[in-house]
Amino acid sequence: MTPGILPAHAIRGMLEDGSLSTSHPLDADQVQPASLDLRLGDTAYRVRASFLPGTQATVAERLEDLALHRMPLDNSAVLETGCVYIVPLLERLALPTGIHALANPKSSTGRIDVFTRVIADHAREFDKIAPDYTGPLYAEISPRTFPILVRTGSRLAQMRFRRGPATFSDAETASLNEREHLVSSRHIDIDNGVALSVDLAGSGDGGPAGYRAKRHSALIDVDQKASLDVLDYWEPIARCTSLILDPNEFYILASKEAVRVPPTHAAEMVPFNPLVGEFRVHYAGFFDPGFGHSSGSGEGSRAVLEVRSHEVPFILEDGQTVGRLIYETLTEPPEHVYGSGIGSHYQKQGLKLSKHFRLP
């Protein structure tokens, strides 16, 4: 069978054959072109610390020892900054042989600095579910900058399904670029993926170079769109040639390159490369097929970068490489691609905050 990322109709097929199940009917827009949004269940557990269950335990067994408090989510609850929560998800898996599951935060989750990972029973890694796994799924949630309001059905993470190993080579990426012009740069850098650089000088639209999150702001309801004033939560950053990243501060920046993902492929940004500096970029690294591509009514979309420095201040220069985009083939063409036709929020984006904020 063809290796690669499963498209939406194959994900629906997993629901039909029992490889994927849910205790609540799917939301109408829950299955994306090559991924599935995951929904929070009815209870959140505040825990002492982040953990992995290990091969000898289930998540539920570890919660018996580590849970400090239990909160119902049926009428919503506030998740505070600096705390760690475990929430059972409405979806569960019974993966067949040869199918891996991989998770990451949704774009809107990463852009409000909510650290979110998926855990399975007996797991030794976050966000990776091995073939043949049968059991529940859990979200580990830790808001870093803003407290958030969530409820049963809130969608903070997404999952994609891969048949076989990831095998797309640099030579294949170069060939794909010749056909599709994957990024807007005239000189593409392909080395274990396509290099993306940060735009601090501005895109020419007169707007800011980025945003720095304000601390001690009000909470964010993760299910409310276009309801918040930008300046209540963010400090605009003037266009510049370099920017000092302060430790433990959170920044929204954008790539210089406009990205295109053909409908036959998906892409993932490598979240951290120790060779490029003491910072992390991009919590939410998955790009659905059609992102920035003409097939999805896009003309190239810049990658929004969720940036956090580590223990020391770090000077970020305009045009510095901050990550690499890894392309993968789909097992078959998708029914729909990312774009305005399916209500996608970030097609044709430049520097853009999450969907929760009103346009200025």
Side-chain angles (χ1 to χ4, degrees):
M1 303 179 74
T2 304
I5 300 294
L6 272 58
H9 59 277
I11 296 173
R12 294 191 183 94
M14 294 178 65
L15 282 162
E16 295 172 0
D17 67 21
S19 301
L20 170 67
S21 60
T22 175
S23 58
H24 292 52
L26 287 183
D27 297 341
D29 60 346
Q30 191 174 343
V31 180
Q32 298 296 312
S35 59
L36 172 75
D37 290 350
L38 301 173
R39 298 170 298 174
L40 302 185
D42 58 9
T43 304
Y45 299 87
R46 182 178 169 186
V47 294
R48 298 176 185 176
S50 173
F51 68 89
L52 283 166
T55 58
Q56 303 303 311
T58 67
V59 176
E61 289 168 345
R62 296 302 309 276
L63 284 173
E64 291 179 5
D65 297 326
L66 296 173
L68 300 173
H69 181 59
R70 174 177 174 173
M71 298 184 298
L73 298 184
D74 49 353
N75 290 318
S76 75
V78 175
L79 306 187
E80 300 285 358
T81 58
C83 299
V84 180
Y85 302 88
I86 303 295
V87 182
L89 299 175
L90 297 181
E91 291 73 35
R92 62 181 289 128
L93 298 176
L95 291 177
T97 300
I99 299 294
H100 303 251
L102 307 118
N104 57 270
K106 288 174 57 65
S107 292
S108 297
T109 306
R111 294 184 200 199
I112 55 173
D113 199 21
V114 178
F115 192 61
T116 303
R117 301 187 286 193
V118 171
I119 317 173
D121 287 343
H122 309 293
R124 293 183 293 179
E125 293 182 281
F126 294 103
D127 290 335
K128 295 181 180 180
I129 317 297
D132 300 315
Y133 173 76
T134 296
L137 299 170
Y138 299 80
E140 178 193 284
I141 305 166
S142 182
R144 304 292 300 276
T145 298
F146 309 114
I148 59 173
L149 187 69
V150 301
R151 56 190 57 79
T152 301
S154 294
R155 290 143 59 171
L156 300 182
Q158 61 185 358
M159 179 164 280
R160 58 198 185 277
F161 301 91
R162 177 193 290 139
R163 179 184 296 131
T167 58
F168 207 66
S169 68
D170 282 347
E172 290 171 307
T173 302
S175 177
L176 181 64
N177 179 64
E178 290 179 1
R179 302 191 305 271
E180 296 285 355
H181 304 291
L182 300 178
V183 296
S184 57
S185 174
R186 292 178 59 188
H187 304 288
I188 187 170
D189 175 2
I190 301 175
D191 182 8
N192 293 317
V194 177
L196 294 182
S197 62
V198 65
D199 182 17
L200 298 178
S203 60
D205 58 6
Y211 294 92
R212 179 187 292 107
K214 292 182 177 180
R215 292 191 173 273
H216 313 298
S217 300
L219 62 78
I220 294 175
D221 186 330
V222 300
D223 298 320
Q224 291 293 318
K225 301 174 185 177
S227 62
L228 303 176
D229 190 301
V230 169
L231 296 182
D232 289 340
Y233 294 81
W234 300 95
E235 173 190 348
I237 299 171
R239 290 179 289 177
C240 54
T241 58
S242 65
L243 174 67
I244 297 177
L245 303 178
D246 292 319
N248 300 317
E249 296 294 324
F250 181 68
Y251 302 82
I252 295 291
L253 304 171
S255 66
K256 277 191 177 294
E257 299 82 5
V259 172
R260 299 180 182 91
V261 181
T264 52
H265 290 70
E268 181 180 12
M269 183 180 287
V270 177
F272 175 69
N273 182 343
L275 299 179
V276 302
E278 294 298 321
F279 61 93
R280 176 190 171 96
V281 58
H282 224 287
Y283 289 131
F286 185 64
F287 294 75
D288 269 304
F291 177 86
H293 194 267
S294 58
S295 61
S297 300
E299 299 173 356
S301 298
R302 292 199 289 165
V304 168
L305 311 171
E306 302 129 15
V307 177
R308 176 179 288 279
S309 184
H310 289 317
E311 299 299 324
V312 297
F314 182 80
I315 298 177
L316 192 63
E317 304 285 349
D318 180 57
Q320 182 171 339
T321 297
V322 292
R324 290 188 177 271
L325 204 58
I326 308 295
Y327 284 80
E328 292 191 66
T329 55
L330 300 186
T331 57
E332 52 189 315
E335 294 175 337
H336 304 287
V337 298
Y338 191 93
S340 58
I342 60 170
S344 305
H345 294 286
Y346 304 118
Q347 189 70 299
K348 298 183 181 180
Q349 72 180 359
L351 175 68
K352 189 172 183 179
L353 295 172
S354 72
K355 64 185 179 183
H356 310 97
F357 296 95
R358 292 188 292 267
L359 292 175

